[in-house]
Amino acid sequence: MNQNHGPTCNGQKEYWSDPKTHEKYKEIISTTPQRKGIWVADLHQHEGFWWSAYSLKGVLWARDHFMPQPNNVILSSAPKSGTTWLKALSFAVMTRSHFDEPASPLLTRLAHDCVPFLESEVRSNPQNLDLDVPLLATHIPYTSLPKSIIDSGCKIVYICRDPKDVFVSLWHFVSKMNPKAMDASALEDLHLEDAFEFFCQGYSSFGPYWDHVLGYWRASLESPEKVLFLKYEDLKNDTISWVKKLAQFMGYPFSSEEEQKGMVQKIVNLCSFENLSSLEVNKSGITQVGTNFLSLKNSSFFRKGEVGDWKNHLKLEMAMRLDQITEQKLKGSGLTFHFSSNA
Ligand SMILES: Nc1ncnc2c1ncn2[C@@H]1O[C@H](COP(=O)(O)OS(=O)(=O)O)[C@@H](OP(=O)(O)O)[C@H]1O
């Protein structure tokens, strides 16, 4: 296994086993405003965003120690915006020359086990891959990213999604994560209305959602060569074109020969919701993923994978309220979501 993402992994390991560093961050975190939100534990406010204690520790560590390699591509997103899909697509694009034969690791590993989060606990290398894939992921908002990333030449790909679908996806996910509610039948443990209120007020992990999106949106306008801004809905609507743009941006463009041979379509098919969610590893596997210590069912990352599922969960007035917040927050930014609440 040679997955060398630079000092991240080694440094991270030291951090997690060094009690002094651990104490230092614990102390900082203890001074932050704290409150309840959409999560199994309390959220902490730091630099205008809400974090779980675990992810805040991760970002503090990353800010002090993380040094990207110049060829790193950072995949960024707020939770439930399309992270798993973006990881799979980017990984498949970058490794396509290695994994035409034998089959792609994505067939036997969760996408999160192929692309680690830069701020999360370093896990043992489950990939067992024989190549160096310079991909890292993060949920860290743009303005809180380690300076080393901003100053580096490495590229960032950001994916966002209609906040209504993000909320619905998050509600399902968090409800299943509740230790008392490890199966979908216990959704009542987190009332939709309570979770909705938290989300609207920005009290969700890495929230407020809109501020997360706006940070990367502005960065993509300022430095389009460094930040590629994607929308889940666009990717759904025309996956082929966006995967080509993604590949071009990351520095792995498809040759015309590859295009003629159907390589883009092959990657799109490999990473489709239908394909990934039907794989044994994603149906029955368990992983420790993201910015927390919880063991999660791989299947929890694959629910419906649709645009507009909010219609099955949100009352019209809830949808309208979210749309109003979105409109208000994004006003003047040039960013819009073309998904009206009564569509
Ligand atoms: N391959 C693929 N294609 C399309 N959509 C997909 C795919 N994989 C996961 N999903 C859907 O993405 C939602 C999960 O979001 P994230 O991957 O960002 O979650 S996480 O932040 O990594 O926890 C979640 O959305 P919902 O179905 O609406 O809940 C997943 O079903």
Side-chain angles (χ1 to χ4, degrees):
M1 162 73 206
N2 176 29
Q3 191 167 30
N4 175 17
H5 296 298
T8 327
C9 296
N10 295 335
Q12 192 88 318
K13 232 177 224 156
E14 280 158 27
Y15 155 55
W16 292 112
S17 56
D18 174 20
K20 261 201 204 150
T21 323
H22 198 75
E23 277 310 309
K24 181 177 113 183
Y25 295 143
K26 225 172 121 184
E27 214 175 297
I28 297 175
I29 291 166
S30 70
T31 64
T32 57
Q34 216 171 314
R35 60 154 298 125
K36 271 198 132 4
I38 312 183
W39 204 248
V40 285
D42 280 355
L43 293 172
H44 298 260
Q45 194 178 36
H46 181 72
E47 298 182 346
F49 288 89
W50 292 97
W51 317 68
S52 67
Y54 181 82
S55 52
L56 186 48
K57 249 184 257 170
V59 74
L60 292 173
W61 173 85
R63 297 267 288 267
D64 283 349
H65 299 288
F66 177 70
M67 287 299 296
Q69 303 285 314
N71 66 339
N72 276 152
V73 175
I74 314 283
L75 307 177
S76 186
S77 58
K80 305 296 142 202
S81 302
T83 321
T84 314
W85 193 17
L86 180 61
K87 282 186 177 191
L89 286 170
S90 307
F91 183 85
V93 165
M94 279 196 182
T95 59
R96 65 188 186 269
S97 59
H98 299 272
F99 290 119
D100 207 13
E101 286 297 329
S104 170
L106 287 165
L107 294 173
T108 48
R109 293 165 181 86
L110 177 67
H112 292 283
D113 284 338
C114 295
V115 183
F117 282 96
L118 70 88
E119 69 271 27
S120 75
E121 173 207 16
V122 148
R123 292 154 281 145
S124 55
N125 279 318
Q127 300 94 328
N128 220 10
L129 303 174
D130 209 7
L131 82 165
D132 183 7
V133 186
L135 280 173
L136 288 165
T138 188
H139 283 322
I140 302 175
Y142 187 79
T143 45
S144 293
L145 281 176
K147 196 167 173 302
S148 58
I149 292 181
I150 306 292
D151 294 345
S152 75
C154 68
K155 296 187 171 184
I156 299 172
V157 181
Y158 184 74
I159 188 159
C160 71
R161 189 180 186 187
D162 180 348
K164 300 191 292 301
D165 281 334
V166 170
F167 166 69
V168 167
S169 183
L170 185 62
W171 173 64
H172 277 96
F173 184 77
V174 172
S175 301
K176 283 179 217 160
M177 273 177 55
N178 185 327
K180 285 187 288 174
M182 287 309 281
D183 66 83
S185 62
L187 278 176
E188 62 271 14
D189 275 9
L190 179 68
H191 292 287
L192 182 94
E193 284 74 13
D194 297 339
F196 181 77
E197 201 50 49
F198 283 143
F199 188 79
C200 287
Q201 297 193 30
Y203 306 141
S204 57
S205 229
F206 306 96
Y209 180 75
W210 300 270
D211 297 348
H212 201 287
V213 173
L214 276 172
Y216 283 93
W217 171 249
R218 292 188 183 118
S220 75
L221 295 181
E222 271 165 33
S223 315
E225 70 298 337
K226 192 171 155 92
V227 183
L228 177 68
F229 191 92
L230 304 176
K231 287 181 185 165
Y232 181 95
E233 294 77 13
D234 291 343
L235 201 55
K236 265 281 187 196
N237 191 34
D238 187 359
T239 319
I240 293 250
S241 302
W242 283 100
V243 167
K244 283 198 231 168
K245 277 183 210 161
L246 173 68
Q248 177 84 36
F249 177 82
M250 295 195 301
Y252 294 72
F254 291 98
S255 66
S256 31
E257 196 192 336
E258 280 181 311
E259 286 198 28
Q260 272 160 20
K261 284 189 173 163
M263 180 55 95
V264 191
Q265 186 67 59
K266 211 169 152 182
I267 287 174
V268 170
N269 293 349
L270 169 68
C271 301
S272 71
F273 179 86
E274 293 68 27
N275 186 50
L276 292 184
S277 61
S278 68
L279 298 172
E280 203 45 50
V281 62
N282 294 329
K283 283 200 292 189
S284 58
I286 301 271
T287 195
Q288 276 201 338
V289 78
T291 49
N292 56 65
F293 279 114
L294 295 177
S295 288
L296 295 171
K297 291 179 182 170
N298 293 356
S299 61
S300 59
F301 295 97
F302 304 92
R303 193 182 61 89
K304 276 199 172 174
E306 287 172 7
V307 171
D309 185 49
W310 61 264
K311 286 174 213 150
N312 299 315
H313 300 277
L314 299 186
K315 290 182 190 136
L316 184 60
E317 55 268 29
M318 293 169 111
M320 284 170 71
R321 178 158 167 218
L322 268 186
D323 279 351
Q324 272 164 15
I325 296 172
T326 302
E327 211 183 309
Q328 199 183 4
K329 286 265 198 182
L330 304 190
K331 204 172 177 180
S333 70
L335 176 63
T336 48
F337 286 97
H338 300 288
F339 310 102
S340 92
S341 35
N342 45 19

